Amino acid sequence: MTQRGDLAAVMDRMAIDEVVTGYAVAVDDGDWEAYRALFAPGGRADYTSAGGIEGPAGEVADWLAEALRRFPVRQHLVVNRLVRLEGDGSGWPAVRAQVRADFVNPMRLEAAGAAAVGDAAPNFVAAGRYSFALARSDRDGWRITRAAVHEKWRRLSA
């Protein structure tokens, strides 16, 4: 790879990292408009391994908004990101990417009668791995074409 190709790969990785981080932040903040904007047209999300749904990103965002209502506090910790860039056969720049990233997702359940978020409401923690497929467009940059949650474990503590 040339120096120009190396620089393009670094820039792609930074932009992809921003999309993956934006995904976690949008879910944690309940910003469903931002969540939808991270997906390419026709992009899909799959939460079936966590007991959820699979479908177009907009429909999944609606489902998440309702399903996560019980959890007023959410915080994704997304680590061990493995990014694989794919070209179109003509060299750089990359046009597609695959990302695998582990997650731990502690959430605070809504507590009946709790005076504040920090009260003794039970915690729910889920962990596993995300897989993302992304594509780059000239207009929108890197966008998710498919996001899948592969939940490995969960715990509810009182």
Side-chain angles (χ1 to χ4, degrees):
M1 188 179 305
T2 67
Q3 196 171 25
R4 174 179 271 167
D6 289 342
L7 179 58
V10 168
M11 297 297 289
D12 284 336
R13 288 175 185 280
M14 290 177 68
I16 290 165
D17 186 70
E18 188 171 330
V19 171
V20 171
T21 299
Y23 175 94
V25 169
V27 172
D28 290 345
D29 292 350
D31 187 346
W32 307 116
E33 184 177 323
Y35 178 92
R36 287 177 179 88
L38 294 167
F39 284 83
R44 300 181 69 82
D46 182 351
Y47 287 80
T48 55
S49 79
I53 67 168
E54 187 278 336
E59 289 178 21
V60 173
D62 293 341
W63 174 81
L64 283 168
E66 185 59 34
L68 294 178
R69 223 178 268 245
R70 295 182 55 208
F71 302 98
V73 178
R74 303 180 289 272
Q75 182 179 22
H76 277 77
L77 306 172
V78 181
V79 299
N80 299 336
R81 299 171 197 223
L82 181 61
V83 178
R84 302 256 190 250
L85 299 172
E86 303 169 5
D88 62 2
S90 66
W92 291 99
V95 295
R96 289 177 304 284
Q98 302 294 322
V99 179
R100 190 175 79 184
D102 295 330
F103 72 88
V104 176
N105 181 205
M107 298 183 283
R108 171 94 46 201
L109 273 166
E110 201 171 58
V117 170
D119 284 354
N123 287 319
F124 176 84
V125 180
R129 181 168 285 160
Y130 283 116
S131 60
F132 296 97
L134 296 96
R136 184 203 344 242
S137 76
D138 291 336
R139 193 181 109 225
D140 297 324
W142 287 100
R143 292 292 178 260
I144 300 167
T145 57
R146 181 158 178 82
V149 174
H150 308 283
E151 188 176 88
K152 295 183 178 184
W153 62 268
R154 63 172 62 181
R155 181 183 77 228
L156 176 65
S157 62

